[in-house]
Amino acid sequence: MGTTASQLAKDSLSEYQELTFLTKQEILLAHRRFTELLDRDERNHPNPRVPMEVILTLPELKSNPFKTRICQVFSTSEDKDGSLTFEDFLDLLSAFSDSATLEIKSHYAFRIFDFDDDGTLDCGDLEKLVNCLTGETEDTRLSSEEMRQLINNILDESDIDKDGTVNLSEFQHVISRSPDFVSSFKIVL
Amino acid sequence: GEKEKLNMKQADMRGTKEKPETSEDGDDEEEVNNDGEVRPELLSPEELEKLKEAVDEKKKLIQSLRGKPWPMKQKLVTLRESQLFVEKYEGALGKGKGRKLYAYKVMMTKKWMKFQRDFENFKIACIPWEMKIKEIESHFGSSVASYFIFLRWMYGINMILFGLTFGLVMVPEALMGRAYGSIPRKTVPRAEEAGAMDFAVLWDFGGYAQYSVLFYGYYNNQRAIGWFKFRMPLSYFLVGVGTVAYSYMVVIRTMARNANESGIGDDNSFNFSWKMFTSWDYLIGNPETADNKFASITTSFKEAILEEQESRKDDNIHLTRFLRVLANFLVLCCLAGSGYLIYFVVRRSQKFALDGLENHSWWERNEVNMVMSLLGMFCPMLFDVISTLENYHPRVALQWQLGRIFALFLGNLYTFIIALMDAINLKRKEEKVVKYNITMWEATLYNGTGSENSTAPPITIHPADVPRGPCWETMVGQEFVRLIISDTMTTYITLLIGDFLRAVLVRFLNHCWCWDLEAGFPSYSEFDVSGNVLGLIFNQGMIWMGAFYAPCLPALNLLRLHVSMYLQCWAVMCCNVPQERVFKASGSNNFYMAMLLVILFLSTLPAIYTIVTIPPSFDCGPFSGKNRMFDVIQETLESDFPAWFSKVFSYASNPGLVLPFILLMVLAIYYLQSTSKSYKEANVELKKKLQMVIQRLDNF
């Protein structure tokens, strides 16, 4: 008989259960949704990779302002093009799942907000972050004066060592006090 | 390091003699080739210990893998490597002393972990309405969904309460107690028999509904019923106490869990950072909601920046203060007015009851419930209007609004109870008169046959003809049931009219109306989270109050919650739009839990008062004939437990022992509170120190 590429092997399933925060049903659902994104011929590929544009058609990610960053962070492709294999997809869902720990969520949140991938959140990153949050239209953007003040306030609050950037431990310190973070940093298929 | 050491030892040993392997049966070790063979018999005990530690460490690594932020490939490689290591050496460790036991233990641990994982999966699959709530989450965000999650949690609690009352009170009496019509208290009196089956009477919970297991009055005071001697009165009392105790336990446990998860209180020192990093709700999957969210985030940023600048300026503070005082005064007048109105209406309804209910119109009969429901609907709107005088920040205004609605509902409920107390006292006075009449009636019965000797056959009277004493407990139960039903009806009707009808009108009249109905005046309604949560909390408070007198209440509430879930889910998706100002009332989970706890406490007070001070009716219920309801405990202790038990209990309930115990608990609470305060202060100090130290390091 053997397993086709469109079905998960049983020991893969139990390994994935061991390595992610997802339940068996969630992993099977994720597999089904992932295979729906593939073309006919790609489905028989041993380890198919879905390009970013196709991933972004998922309704759960479509309206998210950080959708490109999320794909880039979880992608393991060498070209850094944001394409995801099924295992990357599972990593994504695991980090955003209900039972994921605060540490793992804050780690990935930091990487998502780090637009230039340099390991710290500097003014450029924070500015891009604010622009993502305030939407695309002109009347919802903040003026440069407001932006400057906002970034100063944020650095005042979170930058403990006063080096002008927020590093991972400062970020995790701020986030761990927030009562809303864990419940809002969730994506469920 | 460990592996090399072992390999070296093997290399040494291989040169010398080889120990023969003893044949193992039932051993689940793997077949390993000669190169990797470890002989635990040749290892010293410490090395054996170190090997065990290494295996345990690898096991811990496997457990912690899912929390590591590595890509899946790396995790898989590490997992397979660790699993191989564990299997190889675990099996080998099994050789030696107690190997069979060790292998058995290992197998059982694996099976147990698998069972736990399957059980977790099963539990999560069993959670009802998950898909519905997920859909609402993606359309409206997590604050609206939190109401439905709260509703589901309440449903769970009511399920347990229903199980207790149904299984331990209603079913035993129905199955093993005496049947309907066998004794006077279980029969509809002759006078009411004519109308006992009418729908109007049944809807009012009179007639056959009143003389059934649904209400307190039906239960017989026989100490033990059925073939296995089920102690009915004891069970009734303990279930009443148990429902309250269970509710306390669940609410406090949930509060403690929420407090742990949400960190140490609400720190206002990270306002902007939190707005930046945690304000986006990743569950939103709907473009319209996302646009709303963008707009609200922008507004909140601009507001926060403005507030930061304006926090130094405070102009017109006297005017603001005066307006706020005025607003509070108006609110107090409102509350007093509504309290008086309810009291007035309840007294009027007692007068109607004395005249006989048939002489009055439907409105006059249901006046109390309608007035309470209408007040609950219109006063909050009035408070909303008054609060525009106050000019508070929206979050603060919301808290004031919630506090006022809470005070309104509480005031109404307590006025209702006070009026009910008057009715109870009336019934108790009536009891004395009826008792006298019954003795007279019995005397005339026996006088008629008194001239004969005692060999005359006893007179059989149909139970429906026996004169009955008044039953205040059933009356209380009936009042609560009626109140809850009218409350439910009002909620559903406001939902249908206020939300559904409005949405239909806006949608279809928009074509032929002068101004844009959708953007302008009525438009679609938003889902009022806080109003609905408060309604739910107060509904539960009424259940807790009345469940002792009407065991049918938890069942009724279960039905109501079930219907509410479906109706409100449909209404939200069909008629509501996402809120424009989506500001997170953070920590609101514990706020609602705290309100629930307060309501639980305040609801159980009246029931406890009536149990402790008022003697039960002589002619109905499981405690009839006793002096106080809790005497049933005394009776059980004396007759069902061995003699020494009741002696111990009487020592334990001695005030000389109870008072020091209470004192001890008060001291313990004080001590724990002061240590927690000192921990909080130490935390703040440490934070400051950290900043200073880092700055000093930077300066070097």
PDB file of all heavy atoms in Angstrom, chain A residues 15 17-18 20 23 91 133 140 149 157-158 161 174 177 184, chain B residues 66 72 80 117 121 267 272-274 276 282 294 298 309 698:
ATOM      1  N   GLU A  15       5.508  12.212  15.356  1.00  0.00           N
ATOM      2  CA  GLU A  15       6.665  13.091  15.574  1.00  0.00           C
ATOM      3  C   GLU A  15       6.238  14.545  15.620  1.00  0.00           C
ATOM      4  O   GLU A  15       6.689  15.320  16.462  1.00  0.00           O
ATOM      5  CB  GLU A  15       7.691  12.906  14.450  1.00  0.00           C
ATOM      6  CG  GLU A  15       8.550  11.693  14.632  1.00  0.00           C
ATOM      7  CD  GLU A  15       9.520  11.514  13.482  1.00  0.00           C
ATOM      8  OE1 GLU A  15       9.279  12.105  12.409  1.00  0.00           O
ATOM      9  OE2 GLU A  15      10.492  10.785  13.667  1.00  0.00           O
ATOM     10  N   GLN A  17       3.365  15.661  16.453  1.00  0.00           N
ATOM     11  CA  GLN A  17       2.656  15.903  17.716  1.00  0.00           C
ATOM     12  C   GLN A  17       3.625  16.154  18.845  1.00  0.00           C
ATOM     13  O   GLN A  17       3.353  16.939  19.750  1.00  0.00           O
ATOM     14  CB  GLN A  17       1.799  14.688  18.075  1.00  0.00           C
ATOM     15  CG  GLN A  17       0.424  14.723  17.488  1.00  0.00           C
ATOM     16  CD  GLN A  17      -0.453  13.684  18.140  1.00  0.00           C
ATOM     17  OE1 GLN A  17      -0.215  12.501  18.015  1.00  0.00           O
ATOM     18  NE2 GLN A  17      -1.437  14.132  18.858  1.00  0.00           N
ATOM     19  N   GLU A  18       4.752  15.451  18.787  1.00  0.00           N
ATOM     20  CA  GLU A  18       5.760  15.595  19.828  1.00  0.00           C
ATOM     21  C   GLU A  18       6.431  16.952  19.745  1.00  0.00           C
ATOM     22  O   GLU A  18       6.807  17.539  20.753  1.00  0.00           O
ATOM     23  CB  GLU A  18       6.795  14.482  19.618  1.00  0.00           C
ATOM     24  CG  GLU A  18       7.765  14.293  20.730  1.00  0.00           C
ATOM     25  CD  GLU A  18       7.118  13.715  21.964  1.00  0.00           C
ATOM     26  OE1 GLU A  18       6.420  12.698  21.827  1.00  0.00           O
ATOM     27  OE2 GLU A  18       7.309  14.286  23.045  1.00  0.00           O
ATOM     28  N   THR A  20       5.345  19.877  18.152  1.00  0.00           N
ATOM     29  CA  THR A  20       4.596  21.128  18.073  1.00  0.00           C
ATOM     30  C   THR A  20       3.557  21.157  19.182  1.00  0.00           C
ATOM     31  O   THR A  20       3.332  20.164  19.860  1.00  0.00           O
ATOM     32  CB  THR A  20       3.859  21.262  16.731  1.00  0.00           C
ATOM     33  OG1 THR A  20       2.910  20.200  16.643  1.00  0.00           O
ATOM     34  CG2 THR A  20       4.794  21.227  15.569  1.00  0.00           C
ATOM     35  N   THR A  23      -2.649  19.658  18.282  1.00  0.00           N
ATOM     36  CA  THR A  23      -3.225  18.336  18.512  1.00  0.00           C
ATOM     37  C   THR A  23      -3.265  17.582  17.190  1.00  0.00           C
ATOM     38  O   THR A  23      -3.039  18.147  16.124  1.00  0.00           O
ATOM     39  CB  THR A  23      -4.655  18.450  19.024  1.00  0.00           C
ATOM     40  OG1 THR A  23      -5.443  19.076  18.012  1.00  0.00           O
ATOM     41  CG2 THR A  23      -4.726  19.283  20.281  1.00  0.00           C
ATOM     42  N   ASP A  91       5.318  24.739  11.840  1.00  0.00           N
ATOM     43  CA  ASP A  91       6.022  25.596  12.795  1.00  0.00           C
ATOM     44  C   ASP A  91       5.242  26.872  13.049  1.00  0.00           C
ATOM     45  O   ASP A  91       5.097  27.325  14.182  1.00  0.00           O
ATOM     46  CB  ASP A  91       7.405  25.974  12.243  1.00  0.00           C
ATOM     47  CG  ASP A  91       8.470  25.010  12.673  1.00  0.00           C
ATOM     48  OD1 ASP A  91       8.311  24.394  13.738  1.00  0.00           O
ATOM     49  OD2 ASP A  91       9.460  24.875  11.944  1.00  0.00           O
ATOM     50  N   LEU A 133       0.718  48.985  11.179  1.00  0.00           N
ATOM     51  CA  LEU A 133      -0.444  48.943  12.055  1.00  0.00           C
ATOM     52  C   LEU A 133      -1.475  49.991  11.712  1.00  0.00           C
ATOM     53  O   LEU A 133      -2.650  49.844  12.027  1.00  0.00           O
ATOM     54  CB  LEU A 133      -0.017  49.156  13.507  1.00  0.00           C
ATOM     55  CG  LEU A 133       0.579  47.950  14.187  1.00  0.00           C
ATOM     56  CD1 LEU A 133       1.038  48.344  15.571  1.00  0.00           C
ATOM     57  CD2 LEU A 133      -0.451  46.856  14.294  1.00  0.00           C
ATOM     58  N   THR A 140      -5.026  57.577   7.458  1.00  0.00           N
ATOM     59  CA  THR A 140      -4.819  56.895   8.722  1.00  0.00           C
ATOM     60  C   THR A 140      -3.359  56.905   9.152  1.00  0.00           C
ATOM     61  O   THR A 140      -3.037  56.485  10.247  1.00  0.00           O
ATOM     62  CB  THR A 140      -5.284  55.428   8.663  1.00  0.00           C
ATOM     63  OG1 THR A 140      -4.702  54.825   7.507  1.00  0.00           O
ATOM     64  CG2 THR A 140      -6.790  55.352   8.573  1.00  0.00           C
ATOM     65  N   GLN A 149       7.493  61.242  18.061  1.00  0.00           N
ATOM     66  CA  GLN A 149       7.146  61.235  19.482  1.00  0.00           C
ATOM     67  C   GLN A 149       6.810  59.828  19.955  1.00  0.00           C
ATOM     68  O   GLN A 149       7.217  59.397  21.032  1.00  0.00           O
ATOM     69  CB  GLN A 149       5.940  62.141  19.693  1.00  0.00           C
ATOM     70  CG  GLN A 149       5.498  62.162  21.120  1.00  0.00           C
ATOM     71  CD  GLN A 149       5.193  63.556  21.573  1.00  0.00           C
ATOM     72  OE1 GLN A 149       4.973  64.434  20.747  1.00  0.00           O
ATOM     73  NE2 GLN A 149       5.199  63.747  22.853  1.00  0.00           N
ATOM     74  N   GLU A 157      10.222  53.617  27.240  1.00  0.00           N
ATOM     75  CA  GLU A 157       9.630  52.582  28.090  1.00  0.00           C
ATOM     76  C   GLU A 157      10.411  51.283  28.050  1.00  0.00           C
ATOM     77  O   GLU A 157      10.595  50.634  29.074  1.00  0.00           O
ATOM     78  CB  GLU A 157       8.208  52.278  27.627  1.00  0.00           C
ATOM     79  CG  GLU A 157       7.209  53.342  27.958  1.00  0.00           C
ATOM     80  CD  GLU A 157       5.874  53.036  27.313  1.00  0.00           C
ATOM     81  OE1 GLU A 157       5.801  52.076  26.517  1.00  0.00           O
ATOM     82  OE2 GLU A 157       4.915  53.747  27.612  1.00  0.00           O
ATOM     83  N   SER A 158      10.820  50.871  26.814  1.00  0.00           N
ATOM     84  CA  SER A 158      11.335  49.504  26.720  1.00  0.00           C
ATOM     85  C   SER A 158      12.850  49.399  26.693  1.00  0.00           C
ATOM     86  O   SER A 158      13.376  48.352  27.026  1.00  0.00           O
ATOM     87  CB  SER A 158      10.832  48.822  25.449  1.00  0.00           C
ATOM     88  OG  SER A 158       9.634  49.369  25.049  1.00  0.00           O
ATOM     89  N   ASP A 161      18.760  49.405  28.447  1.00  0.00           N
ATOM     90  CA  ASP A 161      20.181  49.750  28.452  1.00  0.00           C
ATOM     91  C   ASP A 161      20.473  51.017  27.650  1.00  0.00           C
ATOM     92  O   ASP A 161      21.634  51.384  27.470  1.00  0.00           O
ATOM     93  CB  ASP A 161      21.022  48.582  27.934  1.00  0.00           C
ATOM     94  CG  ASP A 161      20.587  48.150  26.548  1.00  0.00           C
ATOM     95  OD1 ASP A 161      19.683  48.799  25.961  1.00  0.00           O
ATOM     96  OD2 ASP A 161      21.132  47.161  26.053  1.00  0.00           O
ATOM     97  N   VAL A 174       9.147  43.344  28.247  1.00  0.00           N
ATOM     98  CA  VAL A 174       7.947  44.167  28.070  1.00  0.00           C
ATOM     99  C   VAL A 174       6.726  43.290  27.818  1.00  0.00           C
ATOM    100  O   VAL A 174       5.668  43.480  28.406  1.00  0.00           O
ATOM    101  CB  VAL A 174       8.134  45.130  26.871  1.00  0.00           C
ATOM    102  CG1 VAL A 174       6.846  45.840  26.556  1.00  0.00           C
ATOM    103  CG2 VAL A 174       9.217  46.114  27.160  1.00  0.00           C
ATOM    104  N   ARG A 177       4.793  41.225  30.600  1.00  0.00           N
ATOM    105  CA  ARG A 177       3.889  41.905  31.521  1.00  0.00           C
ATOM    106  C   ARG A 177       2.529  42.171  30.903  1.00  0.00           C
ATOM    107  O   ARG A 177       1.615  42.593  31.592  1.00  0.00           O
ATOM    108  CB  ARG A 177       4.476  43.245  31.943  1.00  0.00           C
ATOM    109  CG  ARG A 177       5.872  43.193  32.469  1.00  0.00           C
ATOM    110  CD  ARG A 177       5.979  42.152  33.553  1.00  0.00           C
ATOM    111  NE  ARG A 177       6.801  42.563  34.637  1.00  0.00           N
ATOM    112  CZ  ARG A 177       6.478  43.504  35.520  1.00  0.00           C
ATOM    113  NH1 ARG A 177       5.365  44.169  35.391  1.00  0.00           N
ATOM    114  NH2 ARG A 177       7.270  43.802  36.500  1.00  0.00           N
ATOM    115  N   SER A 184      -3.971  37.576  21.966  1.00  0.00           N
ATOM    116  CA  SER A 184      -4.151  38.168  20.648  1.00  0.00           C
ATOM    117  C   SER A 184      -3.182  37.583  19.636  1.00  0.00           C
ATOM    118  O   SER A 184      -3.437  37.628  18.439  1.00  0.00           O
ATOM    119  CB  SER A 184      -3.993  39.682  20.712  1.00  0.00           C
ATOM    120  OG  SER A 184      -2.666  40.008  21.064  1.00  0.00           O
TER     121      SER A 184
ATOM    122  N   ARG B  66       9.376  21.123  21.764  1.00  0.00           N
ATOM    123  CA  ARG B  66       8.352  21.903  21.079  1.00  0.00           C
ATOM    124  C   ARG B  66       8.398  23.370  21.483  1.00  0.00           C
ATOM    125  O   ARG B  66       7.903  24.230  20.772  1.00  0.00           O
ATOM    126  CB  ARG B  66       6.957  21.330  21.317  1.00  0.00           C
ATOM    127  CG  ARG B  66       6.540  21.098  22.730  1.00  0.00           C
ATOM    128  CD  ARG B  66       5.045  20.927  22.772  1.00  0.00           C
ATOM    129  NE  ARG B  66       4.623  19.629  22.273  1.00  0.00           N
ATOM    130  CZ  ARG B  66       4.183  18.642  23.031  1.00  0.00           C
ATOM    131  NH1 ARG B  66       4.172  18.787  24.330  1.00  0.00           N
ATOM    132  NH2 ARG B  66       3.774  17.515  22.504  1.00  0.00           N
ATOM    133  N   MET B  72      11.706  23.226  11.891  1.00  0.00           N
ATOM    134  CA  MET B  72      11.244  21.855  12.096  1.00  0.00           C
ATOM    135  C   MET B  72      12.326  20.841  11.767  1.00  0.00           C
ATOM    136  O   MET B  72      12.459  19.824  12.461  1.00  0.00           O
ATOM    137  CB  MET B  72      10.002  21.600  11.233  1.00  0.00           C
ATOM    138  CG  MET B  72       9.387  20.257  11.442  1.00  0.00           C
ATOM    139  SD  MET B  72       8.691  20.060  13.058  1.00  0.00           S
ATOM    140  CE  MET B  72       7.081  20.754  12.792  1.00  0.00           C
ATOM    141  N   ARG B  80      15.101  12.656  16.545  1.00  0.00           N
ATOM    142  CA  ARG B  80      15.407  11.276  16.168  1.00  0.00           C
ATOM    143  C   ARG B  80      16.674  10.801  16.843  1.00  0.00           C
ATOM    144  O   ARG B  80      16.744   9.674  17.322  1.00  0.00           O
ATOM    145  CB  ARG B  80      15.535  11.169  14.652  1.00  0.00           C
ATOM    146  CG  ARG B  80      14.168  11.247  13.992  1.00  0.00           C
ATOM    147  CD  ARG B  80      14.240  11.290  12.491  1.00  0.00           C
ATOM    148  NE  ARG B  80      12.916  11.494  11.942  1.00  0.00           N
ATOM    149  CZ  ARG B  80      12.679  12.068  10.776  1.00  0.00           C
ATOM    150  NH1 ARG B  80      13.680  12.487  10.029  1.00  0.00           N
ATOM    151  NH2 ARG B  80      11.441  12.226  10.337  1.00  0.00           N
ATOM    152  N   ARG B 117      -1.794  12.059  25.883  1.00  0.00           N
ATOM    153  CA  ARG B 117      -1.890  12.869  24.686  1.00  0.00           C
ATOM    154  C   ARG B 117      -3.223  12.632  23.979  1.00  0.00           C
ATOM    155  O   ARG B 117      -3.896  13.558  23.544  1.00  0.00           O
ATOM    156  CB  ARG B 117      -0.732  12.539  23.740  1.00  0.00           C
ATOM    157  CG  ARG B 117      -0.477  13.637  22.750  1.00  0.00           C
ATOM    158  CD  ARG B 117       0.472  13.223  21.693  1.00  0.00           C
ATOM    159  NE  ARG B 117       1.765  12.830  22.223  1.00  0.00           N
ATOM    160  CZ  ARG B 117       2.571  12.002  21.604  1.00  0.00           C
ATOM    161  NH1 ARG B 117       2.227  11.478  20.455  1.00  0.00           N
ATOM    162  NH2 ARG B 117       3.727  11.694  22.123  1.00  0.00           N
ATOM    163  N   ASN B 121      -6.282  15.330  23.275  1.00  0.00           N
ATOM    164  CA  ASN B 121      -6.902  15.531  21.969  1.00  0.00           C
ATOM    165  C   ASN B 121      -8.403  15.345  22.054  1.00  0.00           C
ATOM    166  O   ASN B 121      -9.175  16.118  21.484  1.00  0.00           O
ATOM    167  CB  ASN B 121      -6.321  14.539  20.945  1.00  0.00           C
ATOM    168  CG  ASN B 121      -4.933  14.928  20.525  1.00  0.00           C
ATOM    169  OD1 ASN B 121      -4.473  15.998  20.881  1.00  0.00           O
ATOM    170  ND2 ASN B 121      -4.283  14.078  19.766  1.00  0.00           N
ATOM    171  N   ASP B 267       0.368  47.059  35.010  1.00  0.00           N
ATOM    172  CA  ASP B 267       1.482  47.978  35.054  1.00  0.00           C
ATOM    173  C   ASP B 267       1.211  49.047  34.022  1.00  0.00           C
ATOM    174  O   ASP B 267       1.026  48.732  32.861  1.00  0.00           O
ATOM    175  CB  ASP B 267       2.734  47.210  34.639  1.00  0.00           C
ATOM    176  CG  ASP B 267       3.879  47.546  35.529  1.00  0.00           C
ATOM    177  OD1 ASP B 267       3.920  48.694  35.981  1.00  0.00           O
ATOM    178  OD2 ASP B 267       4.708  46.659  35.737  1.00  0.00           O
ATOM    179  N   PHE B 272       2.713  52.585  25.764  1.00  0.00           N
ATOM    180  CA  PHE B 272       2.966  52.713  24.332  1.00  0.00           C
ATOM    181  C   PHE B 272       3.505  51.427  23.746  1.00  0.00           C
ATOM    182  O   PHE B 272       3.111  51.013  22.653  1.00  0.00           O
ATOM    183  CB  PHE B 272       3.965  53.849  24.068  1.00  0.00           C
ATOM    184  CG  PHE B 272       3.345  55.196  24.176  1.00  0.00           C
ATOM    185  CD1 PHE B 272       3.470  55.933  25.325  1.00  0.00           C
ATOM    186  CD2 PHE B 272       2.617  55.719  23.126  1.00  0.00           C
ATOM    187  CE1 PHE B 272       2.873  57.181  25.430  1.00  0.00           C
ATOM    188  CE2 PHE B 272       2.028  56.957  23.226  1.00  0.00           C
ATOM    189  CZ  PHE B 272       2.162  57.692  24.376  1.00  0.00           C
ATOM    190  N   SER B 273       4.413  50.781  24.465  1.00  0.00           N
ATOM    191  CA  SER B 273       4.996  49.541  23.923  1.00  0.00           C
ATOM    192  C   SER B 273       3.921  48.493  23.722  1.00  0.00           C
ATOM    193  O   SER B 273       3.884  47.807  22.710  1.00  0.00           O
ATOM    194  CB  SER B 273       6.048  48.988  24.872  1.00  0.00           C
ATOM    195  OG  SER B 273       6.929  49.992  25.240  1.00  0.00           O
ATOM    196  N   TRP B 274       3.022  48.389  24.687  1.00  0.00           N
ATOM    197  CA  TRP B 274       1.964  47.396  24.513  1.00  0.00           C
ATOM    198  C   TRP B 274       1.078  47.735  23.346  1.00  0.00           C
ATOM    199  O   TRP B 274       0.683  46.867  22.585  1.00  0.00           O
ATOM    200  CB  TRP B 274       1.129  47.298  25.793  1.00  0.00           C
ATOM    201  CG  TRP B 274       1.841  46.583  26.877  1.00  0.00           C
ATOM    202  CD1 TRP B 274       2.998  45.874  26.775  1.00  0.00           C
ATOM    203  CD2 TRP B 274       1.446  46.497  28.227  1.00  0.00           C
ATOM    204  NE1 TRP B 274       3.349  45.360  27.976  1.00  0.00           N
ATOM    205  CE2 TRP B 274       2.420  45.731  28.885  1.00  0.00           C
ATOM    206  CE3 TRP B 274       0.364  47.008  28.950  1.00  0.00           C
ATOM    207  CZ2 TRP B 274       2.332  45.442  30.240  1.00  0.00           C
ATOM    208  CZ3 TRP B 274       0.294  46.715  30.290  1.00  0.00           C
ATOM    209  CH2 TRP B 274       1.269  45.950  30.918  1.00  0.00           C
ATOM    210  N   MET B 276       1.891  49.162  20.748  1.00  0.00           N
ATOM    211  CA  MET B 276       2.619  48.869  19.532  1.00  0.00           C
ATOM    212  C   MET B 276       2.690  47.373  19.272  1.00  0.00           C
ATOM    213  O   MET B 276       2.413  46.889  18.189  1.00  0.00           O
ATOM    214  CB  MET B 276       4.028  49.400  19.720  1.00  0.00           C
ATOM    215  CG  MET B 276       4.807  49.219  18.518  1.00  0.00           C
ATOM    216  SD  MET B 276       4.730  50.630  17.529  1.00  0.00           S
ATOM    217  CE  MET B 276       6.443  50.842  17.392  1.00  0.00           C
ATOM    218  N   TYR B 282      -4.484  38.824  15.966  1.00  0.00           N
ATOM    219  CA  TYR B 282      -4.151  37.956  14.842  1.00  0.00           C
ATOM    220  C   TYR B 282      -5.283  37.028  14.443  1.00  0.00           C
ATOM    221  O   TYR B 282      -5.200  36.328  13.447  1.00  0.00           O
ATOM    222  CB  TYR B 282      -2.896  37.123  15.177  1.00  0.00           C
ATOM    223  CG  TYR B 282      -1.646  37.958  15.170  1.00  0.00           C
ATOM    224  CD1 TYR B 282      -1.406  38.882  16.175  1.00  0.00           C
ATOM    225  CD2 TYR B 282      -0.697  37.824  14.170  1.00  0.00           C
ATOM    226  CE1 TYR B 282      -0.265  39.654  16.160  1.00  0.00           C
ATOM    227  CE2 TYR B 282       0.453  38.598  14.169  1.00  0.00           C
ATOM    228  CZ  TYR B 282       0.651  39.510  15.166  1.00  0.00           C
ATOM    229  OH  TYR B 282       1.778  40.277  15.171  1.00  0.00           O
ATOM    230  N   PHE B 294      -7.537  48.784  12.050  1.00  0.00           N
ATOM    231  CA  PHE B 294      -6.521  49.768  11.685  1.00  0.00           C
ATOM    232  C   PHE B 294      -6.933  51.144  12.172  1.00  0.00           C
ATOM    233  O   PHE B 294      -6.161  51.872  12.788  1.00  0.00           O
ATOM    234  CB  PHE B 294      -6.344  49.822  10.160  1.00  0.00           C
ATOM    235  CG  PHE B 294      -5.613  48.648   9.597  1.00  0.00           C
ATOM    236  CD1 PHE B 294      -6.041  48.055   8.437  1.00  0.00           C
ATOM    237  CD2 PHE B 294      -4.481  48.165  10.225  1.00  0.00           C
ATOM    238  CE1 PHE B 294      -5.356  46.972   7.910  1.00  0.00           C
ATOM    239  CE2 PHE B 294      -3.797  47.084   9.706  1.00  0.00           C
ATOM    240  CZ  PHE B 294      -4.242  46.485   8.541  1.00  0.00           C
ATOM    241  N   THR B 298      -5.020  53.457  14.964  1.00  0.00           N
ATOM    242  CA  THR B 298      -4.526  54.810  14.684  1.00  0.00           C
ATOM    243  C   THR B 298      -5.088  55.799  15.684  1.00  0.00           C
ATOM    244  O   THR B 298      -4.357  56.629  16.251  1.00  0.00           O
ATOM    245  CB  THR B 298      -4.945  55.240  13.274  1.00  0.00           C
ATOM    246  OG1 THR B 298      -4.670  54.182  12.378  1.00  0.00           O
ATOM    247  CG2 THR B 298      -4.218  56.490  12.868  1.00  0.00           C
ATOM    248  N   GLN B 309       0.744  64.538  26.033  1.00  0.00           N
ATOM    249  CA  GLN B 309       1.075  65.961  26.014  1.00  0.00           C
ATOM    250  C   GLN B 309       0.176  66.753  26.933  1.00  0.00           C
ATOM    251  O   GLN B 309       0.599  67.678  27.605  1.00  0.00           O
ATOM    252  CB  GLN B 309       0.924  66.513  24.593  1.00  0.00           C
ATOM    253  CG  GLN B 309       1.991  66.049  23.661  1.00  0.00           C
ATOM    254  CD  GLN B 309       1.682  66.464  22.238  1.00  0.00           C
ATOM    255  OE1 GLN B 309       0.534  66.765  21.918  1.00  0.00           O
ATOM    256  NE2 GLN B 309       2.673  66.470  21.394  1.00  0.00           N
ATOM    257  N   ASP B 698      27.095  51.162  31.238  1.00  0.00           N
ATOM    258  CA  ASP B 698      27.256  51.867  29.973  1.00  0.00           C
ATOM    259  C   ASP B 698      28.232  53.015  30.104  1.00  0.00           C
ATOM    260  O   ASP B 698      28.946  53.336  29.153  1.00  0.00           O
ATOM    261  CB  ASP B 698      25.898  52.428  29.531  1.00  0.00           C
ATOM    262  CG  ASP B 698      25.188  51.440  28.623  1.00  0.00           C
ATOM    263  OD1 ASP B 698      25.833  50.453  28.236  1.00  0.00           O
ATOM    264  OD2 ASP B 698      24.014  51.677  28.318  1.00  0.00           O
TER     265      ASP B 698
END
